[in-house]
Amino acid sequence: MNTPADLILTRIESRGDAGNIAWLTINNPSRRNALGMAGKRAIAATFNRLAQDDKLRAAVITGAGDKSFVAGADIHEMKDLTLEEAEVEHTLTHTANSAIRNFPVPVIARVNGYCLGFGMELAAACDLRVGVDTAKFGMPEVRVGIPSGMEAVLLPKLIGWGKAAELVYTGDIIDAAEAYRIGFLQKLVPAAELDAAVEQWIASLLLGGKRVMRLQKTLLGDWERMSVTDGIWAGIRACVESRRTDEPKRMMEAFINRKSLNNARAGALAGVAARASAPDQQVTCTVAEVRHLLAAPSRNAFCAGGRQLQRCVLQC
């Protein structure tokens, strides 16, 4: 079995001015990435350390290999625990998951295989969950003599009381399609598309403001524990708090300017296309039109009537 230092592998990826992405891998593949007390301590310590990075924009957690995300807790360790040791072990389950839930930026669960017991609780503690279509999910604790507890409490809000009751009472395993159908997974993809699905989420998260994403994470936590009325007022406070920096003003101005630029570009393309309607016609463009044409997202933007504009003579 791996040493505690090797159980959680961490990599920080810089996205330049956009900030950093943290990649965490649960590294115990010989036991399908099941984790005992040392592993749970390592998860909590790693997330608490990464939380100090002001440049961090998101974290992704996955399991080593291609068979398992986290296949539960370490039963070999758990079977001989005393009452005092059992309290420590189950508290560590909460401590690890709490570190994820209290993490200041969104956490993505990259579910690459078995996601059972503690693994399903850990995924539930994450903000976003994407899984491969071969993954398996379940809460089999009752089949080894203990109830599903700790962050299993999150399941009723995620998948409904009925389905949560079915999983914790029966210990049955469900497939990835069912996990997606009941809303536990937000994305379901083939294994070959898993990384692309994660990257799509990261790209979207980076479009949000650095500060507002942290405010939004806090607000989601507030909504979970507050009444609807209290949640509304928490939202008002968060929106006001966001304006303590110039981030909203800068982002709103950028949105307005981008919309104006897109409108100008569309007008330039339409004008050139209209003048290019005659066969073999040499088209004269203004400086502004050329700039918009060069910035167009596709070369086919030069098309007019199905014919690509071959040349554009600059008129100064």
Side-chain angles (χ1 to χ4, degrees):
M1 185 173 178
N2 293 341
T3 64
D6 296 330
L7 286 173
I8 309 298
L9 304 179
T10 307
R11 175 172 62 91
I12 303 298
E13 178 192 2
S14 173
R15 296 291 179 101
D17 292 340
N20 297 336
I21 307 297
W23 300 83
L24 296 83
T25 301
I26 296 169
N27 185 39
N28 192 19
S30 64
R31 292 192 177 175
R32 292 183 176 178
N33 297 322
L35 290 180
M37 288 188 277
K40 293 172 183 179
R41 285 191 179 97
I43 288 177
T46 301
F47 273 98
N48 288 337
R49 172 173 55 82
L50 292 173
Q52 307 307 310
D53 183 355
D54 291 336
K55 295 182 179 180
L56 202 64
R57 301 297 308 279
V60 181
I61 187 166
T62 191
D66 58 3
K67 301 296 184 184
S68 185
F69 176 66
V70 178
D74 186 348
I75 301 299
H76 295 84
E77 179 184 78
M78 292 178 67
K79 67 182 179 64
D80 295 321
L81 295 179
T82 65
L83 293 178
E84 292 77 13
E85 290 169 339
E87 183 174 1
V88 172
E89 198 280 337
H90 297 306
T91 300
L92 284 172
T93 295
H94 167 63
T95 301
N97 288 320
S98 180
I100 294 173
R101 297 181 66 218
N102 293 326
F103 202 60
V105 297
V107 180
I108 298 171
R110 179 187 179 274
V111 182
N112 55 321
Y114 285 99
C115 183
L116 307 176
F118 170 63
M120 197 165 181
E121 293 178 52
L122 188 150
C126 295
D127 300 281
L128 299 168
R129 291 166 293 280
V130 56
V132 295
D133 53 14
T134 55
K136 304 293 183 183
F137 300 80
M139 298 297 294
E141 284 88 347
V142 293
R143 298 192 181 186
V144 293
I146 58 175
S148 296
M150 291 68 74
E151 270 63 25
V153 72
L154 301 175
L155 293 177
K157 286 188 176 181
L158 286 174
I159 63 177
W161 278 98
K163 197 64 183 182
E166 179 184 345
L167 289 179
V168 300
Y169 279 139
T170 67
D172 287 345
I173 306 302
I174 62 174
D175 60 22
E178 178 70 358
Y180 177 70
R181 187 192 70 79
I182 63 178
F184 186 76
L185 291 177
Q186 290 122 314
K187 285 187 180 183
L188 177 64
V189 296
E193 299 176 16
L194 183 57
D195 288 332
V198 171
E199 181 56 37
Q200 186 179 50
W201 266 339
I202 291 174
S204 293
L205 293 174
L206 292 179
L207 292 176
K210 295 178 181 180
R211 189 164 182 269
V212 72
M213 295 302 290
R214 291 172 177 248
L215 289 171
Q216 189 67 75
K217 172 90 183 237
T218 299
L219 189 57
L220 276 168
D222 289 341
W223 290 346
E224 187 177 79
R225 62 183 175 80
M226 289 180 173
S227 67
V228 171
T229 299
D230 289 342
I232 290 170
W233 285 106
I236 292 171
R237 290 191 295 272
C239 289
V240 173
E241 177 64 24
S242 70
R243 295 177 181 274
R244 291 189 183 276
T245 71
D246 67 345
E247 186 176 83
K249 179 177 176 63
R250 286 188 291 102
M251 295 189 72
M252 290 179 192
E253 287 178 344
F255 177 83
I256 293 169
N257 293 337
R258 185 167 59 249
K259 185 175 181 180
S260 299
L261 178 61
N262 288 340
N263 289 339
R265 183 172 297 160
L269 295 177
V272 173
R275 299 199 300 278
S277 59
D280 300 322
Q281 177 176 329
Q282 178 171 294
V283 180
T284 300
C285 304
T286 67
V287 173
E289 286 174 332
V290 171
R291 286 174 178 164
H292 287 304
L293 289 170
L294 293 175
S298 170
R299 292 179 182 178
N300 291 330
F302 300 138
C303 290
R307 178 177 63 84
Q308 185 174 356
L309 179 64
Q310 297 298 322
R311 56 191 181 276
C312 181
V313 177
L314 175 63
Q315 176 178 304
C316 297

